[in-house]
């Protein structure tokens, strides 16, 4: 069964009385949203709701997640039925630091060029939780609050005519078509300790790798619960709009034969990594793939997972391209990865996350600004008294996304 | 564009002072262009060579640091306020001359904060030493390549003065081996699929990051008698005295700290914390001994299984820290450990 996406284009977002959606204008009832979130997540004590718009002098700090509002209109199974989607808008959760890896979104200036989330209006939730809450429960509370808010917002389009309808179903291509068979290996972080991803509502530590169809992933199949550095953390929005899946679907049946997605875990222990890589490679072999795209999340530790997968696939005769960012030092003069393999001869670089960027002061700030000095990619001296700051790209949400969402790359000079 | 004011560095030969017999000459200042500078001046009327510094190859090679000081001093004295840029050479495949050009360029960049360019044959030994710090135009192996090299220097000079980015692929410079961000025409996902299709078809493709070769450190031989050895603790897990006195960064650490363990039996949440931004700090902050095992080391000391624990431990944050930086920390810490007389180290990571 296919997944049918009912897409609703949002042109404008505002706060008002009574939530609604008319002719592209989305209205959020602040009181109703806040009381809904609090009713769903008891550990949340306060939520401040604001709107950040493209081009505004607005900075959002300690961003935990970005979520596209979506609601299931019909169908109980993942990857089946009608999913209503609000396009060109997202819910952003932020608030006091949990780990060190929350990030920055600037709505204008040089920082805005490095995050995809400066391009459309954002519904920003600054979330406070009960005092003394353990960091893991804090992360969980903020994650659940964001998902609840996105669901609440999406309800407005449940009964509205969509602007666009898209069917997503991976159809079989006749082998006579003689198109190259391409698989997608999609690793998700599941290292525990604030580095977790949830697949179909369960921690990705269990039950992976699995071979899934794109419509299943696109039906909110993958949710971020992790605090890896902002630059290459795959937010829930990135999972919902995975660009590798979108591109592979676009050329499916005409330029290549997209044979499936292998969702695979990126755990911490070496033996777990080896087992996961081996199992993922077997599944790609089962798909009779001739080539595979391997994406990534995080850096350092996950470099090892990527290299194992690439090596194993190439040795099995399956050609690979890996997507990774680089940590080449602020001057770009260092080696970029913590692990390498000679088989990884085709790499797409999504940029050097250590490169520094100067950010201007902003008029409107969401979240606790002084915490930027403690973020991964910030420095104790990052924030100056006049509100300007210097950070590494590492601190900006989605700046070196390793699903290949953006256009940033790195060259040798 | 206003005229670009240039100082030109040449050796004794290209400065017209003589051959090998004059290689011991010290640095001298001449107003205006000399030798290749005259060619440069005709190729680029909008560049004005305000003066030329010459020095003998042997003089520069034998006491490079002091000689470079003299060269920089002459430039400061005669053109300090005027200079926009320094050009050195071309030195082609000449070893001593190439080294001098590299050293002078680097010194002018650092001390006068002006851009500097030289032109070398890619196999000139100075290339490996100076490519990272200095912009080097690709030159032929000998003086036959003079016109091309000087032309290349002129083109790059204008870009540098206007603070434009230099791209080795189009500007004829030797790659500095530095990774620099730029926006591509298409997204990473699109580029990945294009590259995969080329690879599957057997077409030529170019990786965007060629795999580096890691340097390997051979393990030291085992310690013969641990019960008499001084053992030290070193961690990349970010355990520092509470308050982070050295302000070590949570990622891309620019420093490491050295802290006393004297008189301490174990670390406590009140005495120590982690500043590491790459792992969940909850458990390390609850009990910092989990990352820096002082408690266990004291047990081993009491049980006589180790001679003693070194009084100082070293800590940094191993999170997005470049390999180059990590190698530097490692070398420095190892030197200090040897001074302590440490024979073994427990290195904890996270």
């Amino acid at each position: 069964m296919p997944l049918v996406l009912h897409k609703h284009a949002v042109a404008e977002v505002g706060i008002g009385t009574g939530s609604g959606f008319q002719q592209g204008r989305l209205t959020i009832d602040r009181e109703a949203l806040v009381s809904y979130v609090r009713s769903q997540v008891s550990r949340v004590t306060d939520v401040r709701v604001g709107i950040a718009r493209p081009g505004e002098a607005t900075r959002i700090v300690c961003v935990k997640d970005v979520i596209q509002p979506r609601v299931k209109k019909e169908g109980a199974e993942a990857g089946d039925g009608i999913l209503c989607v609000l396009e060109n808008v997202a819910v952003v959760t932020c608030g006091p630091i949990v780990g060190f890896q929350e990030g920055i979104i600037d709505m204008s200036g040089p920082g805005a060029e490095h995050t995809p989330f400066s391009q459309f209006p954002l519904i920003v939730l600054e979330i406070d939780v009960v005092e003394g809450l353990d960091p893991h429960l804090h992360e969980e509370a903020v994650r659940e609050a964001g998902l609840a808010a996105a669901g609440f917002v999406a309800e407005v389009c449940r009964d509205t005519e969509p602007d666009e309808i898209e069917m997503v179903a991976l159809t079989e291509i006749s082998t006579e078509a003689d198109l190259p068979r391409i698989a997608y290996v999609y690793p998700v972080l599941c290292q525990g300790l604030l580095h977790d991803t949830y697949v179909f509502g369960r921690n990705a530590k269990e039950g992976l790798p699995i071979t899934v169809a794109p419509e299943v992933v696109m039906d909110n199949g993958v949710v971020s619960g992790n605090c890896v550095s902002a630059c290459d953390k795959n937010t829930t929005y990135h999972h919902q709009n995975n660009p590798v899946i979108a591109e592979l679907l676009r050329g499916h049946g005409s330029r290549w034969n997209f044979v499936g997605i292998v969702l695979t875990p990126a755990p911490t222990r070496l033996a777990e990594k080896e087992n996961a890589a081996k199992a993922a490679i077997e599944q790609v072999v089962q798909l009779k793939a001739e080539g595979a795209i391997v994406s990534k999340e995080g850096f350092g530790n996950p470099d090892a997972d990527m290299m194992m997968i690439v090596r194993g696939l190439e040795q099995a005769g399956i050609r690979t391209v890996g997507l990774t960012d680089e940590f080449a030092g602020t001057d770009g003069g260092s080696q970029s990865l913590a692990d390498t393999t000679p088989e990884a001869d085709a790499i797409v670089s999504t940029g050097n996350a250590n490169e520094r960027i100067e950010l201007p002061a902003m008029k409107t700030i969401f979240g606790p600004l002084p915490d930027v000095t403690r973020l991964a990619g910030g420095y104790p001296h990052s924030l100056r008294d006049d509100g300007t700051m210097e950070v590494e790209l590492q601190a900006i949400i989605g700046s070196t996304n390793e699903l290949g969402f953006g256009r940033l790359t790195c060259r040798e000079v | 564009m206003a005229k670009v004011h240039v100082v030109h560095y040449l050796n004794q030969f290209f400065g017209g002072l003589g051959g090998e017999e004059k290689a011991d000459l010290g640095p001298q200042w001449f107003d205006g262009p000399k030798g290749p500078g005259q060619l440069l001046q005709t190729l680029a009327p909008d560049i004005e060579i305000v003066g030329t510094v010459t020095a003998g190859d042997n003089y520069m090679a034998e006491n490079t640091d002091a000689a470079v000081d003299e060269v920089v001093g002459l430039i400061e004295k005669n053109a300090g306020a005027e200079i926009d840029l320094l050009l050195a050479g071309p030195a082609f495949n000449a070893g001593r001359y190439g080294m001098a050009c590299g050293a002078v360029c680097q010194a002018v960049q650092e001390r006068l904060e002006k851009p500097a360019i030289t032109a070398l044959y890619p196999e000139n030994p100075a290339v490996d030493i100076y490519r990272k710090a200095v912009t080097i135009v690709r030159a032929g192996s000998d003086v036959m390549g003079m016109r091309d090299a000087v032309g290349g220097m002129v083109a790059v000079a204008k870009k540098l003065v206007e603070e434009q980015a230099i791209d080795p692929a189009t500007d004829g410079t030797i790659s500095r081996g530095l990774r620099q961000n730029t926006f591509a025409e298409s997204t990473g996902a699109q580029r990945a699929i294009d590259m995969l299709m080329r690879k599957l078809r057997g077409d030529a493709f170019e990786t965007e990051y060629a795999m580096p070769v890691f340097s390997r450190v051979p393990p030291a031989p085992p310690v013969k008698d641990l019960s008499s050895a001084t053992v030290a603790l070193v961690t990349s897990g970010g355990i520092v005295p509470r308050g982070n006195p050295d302000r070590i960064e949570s990622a891309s650490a620019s420093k490491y700290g050295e802290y006393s363990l004297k008189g301490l039996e174990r670390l406590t949440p009140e005495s120590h914390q982690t500043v590491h931004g790459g792992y969940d700090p909850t458990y390390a902050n609850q009990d910092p001994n989990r990352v820096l095992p002082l408690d266990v080391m004291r047990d081993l000391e009491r049980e006589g299984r180790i001679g003693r624990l070194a009084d100082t431990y070293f800590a940094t944050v191993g999170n997005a820290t470049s390999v180059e930086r990590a190698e530097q920390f490692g070398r420095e810490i190892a030197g200090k450990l040897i001074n302590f007389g440490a024979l073994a180290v427990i290195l904890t990571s996270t």
Side-chain angles (χ1 to χ4, degrees):
Chain A
M1 290 295 281
L3 180 70
V4 183
L5 301 178
H6 281 194
K7 296 184 174 179
H8 302 268
V10 173
E12 233 186 308
V13 181
I15 305 275
T17 336
S19 296
F21 183 56
Q22 264 184 333
Q23 282 155 349
R25 185 180 161 80
L26 173 65
T27 307
I28 308 288
D29 186 322
R30 192 193 315 244
E31 309 299 316
L33 172 60
V34 171
S35 66
Y36 178 74
V37 169
R38 291 191 55 187
S39 74
Q40 296 294 304
V41 191
S42 60
R43 293 184 289 248
V44 168
T45 53
D46 194 17
V47 183
R48 290 175 295 285
V49 180
I51 308 297
R53 297 181 178 86
E56 286 178 348
T58 297
R59 170 164 298 145
I60 313 169
V61 291
C62 299
V63 171
K64 290 182 173 60
D65 200 7
V66 183
I67 306 155
Q68 184 175 43
R70 295 171 159 202
V71 65
K72 198 76 179 270
K73 187 172 175 175
E74 265 180 50
E77 296 288 310
D80 175 35
I82 297 173
L83 186 69
C84 298
V85 179
L86 281 177
E87 299 247 282
N88 304 325
V89 68
V91 168
V92 170
T93 51
C94 70
I97 196 162
V98 177
F100 287 100
Q101 291 105 336
E102 293 89 16
I104 300 167
I105 296 174
D106 276 1
M107 299 307 286
S108 62
E113 291 172 28
H114 285 278
T115 179
F117 303 117
S118 58
Q119 301 304 307
F120 45 72
L122 303 173
I123 302 160
V124 184
L125 274 63
E126 267 186 76
I127 297 169
D128 292 337
V129 295
V130 290
E131 221 165 296
L133 196 62
D134 160 87
H136 309 112
L137 296 177
H138 187 170
E139 185 281 321
E140 184 183 85
V142 175
R143 170 164 34 94
E144 288 179 352
L147 295 173
F152 177 89
V153 169
E155 281 296 333
V156 296
C157 67
R158 187 188 278 276
D159 300 316
T160 315
E161 274 300 300
D163 295 303
E164 194 191 328
I165 294 178
E166 188 189 327
M167 300 258 282
V168 186
L170 193 61
T171 47
E172 288 265 347
I173 302 293
S174 148
T175 45
E176 284 159 34
D178 200 25
L179 295 168
R181 296 175 65 85
I182 298 183
Y184 171 34
V185 182
Y186 186 178
V188 291
L189 273 193
C190 57
Q191 302 177 341
L193 306 173
L194 301 175
H195 291 61
D196 285 298
T197 308
Y198 297 84
V199 174
F200 314 131
R202 283 168 62 194
N203 192 307
K205 271 183 239 182
E206 296 155 32
L208 265 53
I210 44 166
T211 301
V212 291
E215 56 268 33
V216 179
V217 174
M218 288 170 96
D219 196 5
N220 293 341
V222 186
V223 166
S224 170
N226 100 54
C227 299
V228 74
S229 282
C231 61
D232 56 15
K233 146 154 91 180
N234 296 331
T235 67
T236 299
Y237 187 98
H238 287 113
H239 290 303
Q240 290 169 318
N241 293 279
N242 186 308
V244 176
I245 298 176
E247 290 299 328
L248 283 174
L249 281 173
R250 205 180 311 246
H252 175 60
S254 59
R255 299 182 58 202
W256 49 75
N257 185 357
F258 180 16
V259 293
I261 301 164
V262 176
L263 261 173
T264 186
T268 43
R269 294 201 346 253
L270 182 60
E272 290 172 341
K273 285 181 189 296
E274 287 169 344
N275 288 341
K278 202 171 151 226
I281 291 157
E282 270 168 26
Q283 294 191 15
V284 178
V285 170
Q286 295 264 308
L287 290 169
K288 298 189 178 67
E290 295 158 79
I293 303 284
V294 185
S295 68
K296 208 172 134 204
E297 177 165 30
F299 58 91
N301 198 313
D303 296 354
D305 300 274
M306 169 173 265
M307 295 307 154
M308 279 179 205
I309 293 167
V310 165
R311 184 163 54 239
L313 288 173
E314 291 280 349
Q315 284 172 356
I318 297 163
R319 301 280 83 92
T320 60
V321 171
L323 279 150
T324 181
D325 60 0
E326 302 185 35
F327 284 78
T330 51
D331 70 349
S334 179
Q335 293 165 0
S336 300
L337 296 173
D339 193 16
T340 63
T341 184
E343 287 85 357
D345 61 356
I347 291 288
V348 165
S349 164
T350 59
N352 175 16
N354 287 137
E355 198 168 283
R356 290 188 192 169
I357 184 168
E358 177 71 30
L359 300 177
M362 292 287 174
K363 278 197 205 117
T364 307
I365 306 285
F366 290 101
L369 188 62
D371 279 7
V372 298
T373 59
R374 293 161 61 211
L375 293 181
Y379 295 89
H381 53 271
S382 275
L383 181 63
R384 305 187 193 97
D385 291 341
D386 63 1
T388 63
M389 49 193 217
E390 188 190 51
V391 295
E392 291 185 6
L393 283 184
Q394 193 186 162
I396 296 177
I397 291 277
S399 58
T400 62
N401 177 270
E402 295 168 305
L403 304 176
F405 203 87
R407 291 190 297 109
L408 193 72
T409 185
C410 218
R411 62 177 176 189
E412 193 141 319
V413 296
Chain B
M1 189 176 103
K3 270 208 170 184
V4 177
H5 295 120
V6 168
V7 172
H8 197 185
Y9 174 83
L10 296 171
N11 71 353
Q12 82 284 353
F13 177 76
F14 286 100
L17 303 176
E20 198 57 33
E21 78 285 359
K22 297 284 185 189
D24 292 321
L25 277 178
Q28 299 176 60
W29 174 270
F30 298 92
D31 288 334
K34 282 177 91 61
Q38 278 154 346
L39 170 65
L40 197 146
Q41 199 75 90
T42 52
L43 287 178
D46 48 353
I47 288 181
E48 184 187 344
I49 297 182
V50 295
T52 305
V53 180
T54 63
D57 283 335
N58 287 344
Y59 188 89
M60 295 300 286
E62 277 159 18
N63 195 358
T64 307
D65 289 348
V68 167
D69 284 347
E70 283 182 64
V71 171
V72 174
L74 280 176
I75 295 170
E76 258 187 312
K77 185 174 147 220
N78 293 289
E82 273 184 284
I83 177 175
D84 298 314
L85 178 86
L86 177 104
L87 297 175
F92 308 106
N93 199 21
R96 287 170 303 169
Y97 187 21
M99 291 293 189
C101 286
V104 169
C105 284
Q106 188 171 9
V108 165
Q109 286 176 171
E110 285 170 6
R111 296 186 222 165
L112 306 183
E113 294 180 353
K114 299 292 177 189
I117 303 169
T118 186
L120 301 172
Y121 182 59
E123 284 167 37
N124 189 312
V127 168
D128 269 353
I129 295 170
Y130 291 104
R131 65 190 296 178
K132 205 171 148 182
V134 174
T135 304
I136 305 174
V137 170
R138 193 178 282 270
S141 64
D142 58 38
V143 71
M144 295 293 285
M146 179 63 87
R147 204 180 172 86
D148 286 346
V150 169
M153 288 172 95
V154 167
V156 172
K158 289 181 184 166
K159 283 190 123 177
L160 272 189
V161 170
E162 289 171 4
E163 294 184 359
Q164 292 181 40
I166 305 291
D167 181 358
T170 51
D171 290 320
T173 55
I174 292 176
S175 160
R176 297 173 69 178
L178 299 179
R179 306 291 294 166
Q180 188 182 70
N181 284 341
T182 180
F183 284 103
E185 301 271 313
S186 52
T187 69
Q190 289 162 343
R191 302 202 306 281
I193 295 165
D194 288 347
M195 197 184 290
L196 183 59
M197 289 299 285
R198 298 188 78 84
K199 199 171 166 179
L200 285 169
R201 284 195 300 258
D203 293 348
F205 63 90
E206 206 174 322
T207 183
E208 294 179 2
Y209 182 63
M211 287 291 118
V213 180
F214 286 133
S215 53
R216 300 271 168 203
V217 180
V223 177
K224 284 205 183 82
D225 178 15
L226 210 51
S227 68
S228 65
T230 299
V231 180
L233 282 176
V234 178
T235 185
S236 59
I239 300 293
V240 296
R242 189 150 272 284
N244 190 14
D246 293 315
R247 305 181 90 191
I248 295 174
E249 300 88 344
S250 63
S252 307
S254 67
K255 55 197 148 193
Y256 58 90
E258 39 185 304
Y259 306 107
S260 176
L261 293 170
K262 235 181 192 162
L264 289 179
E265 279 301 303
R266 53 178 299 129
L267 309 178
T268 66
E270 290 73 37
S271 71
H272 288 75
Q273 66 175 114
T274 182
V275 288
H276 197 292
Y279 69 93
D280 175 1
T282 315
Y283 302 106
N285 283 334
Q286 272 170 11
D287 182 357
N289 298 284
R290 287 173 173 152
V291 176
L292 191 84
L294 175 63
D295 51 354
V296 178
M297 295 306 288
R298 290 293 183 219
D299 289 346
L300 293 172
E301 208 175 30
R302 261 189 301 274
E303 291 161 14
R305 307 213 359 228
I306 62 169
R308 59 183 290 274
L309 178 66
D311 286 335
T312 301
Y313 80 94
F314 295 86
T316 190
V317 165
N319 179 30
T321 305
S322 65
V323 174
E324 191 180 28
R325 187 70 66 64
E327 283 178 341
Q328 174 213 327
F329 293 171
R331 270 192 302 273
E332 289 178 19
I333 292 172
K336 292 178 181 188
L337 290 170
I338 289 166
N339 285 341
F340 294 161
L343 279 184
V345 176
I346 308 262
L347 180 63
T348 60
S349 62
T350 46

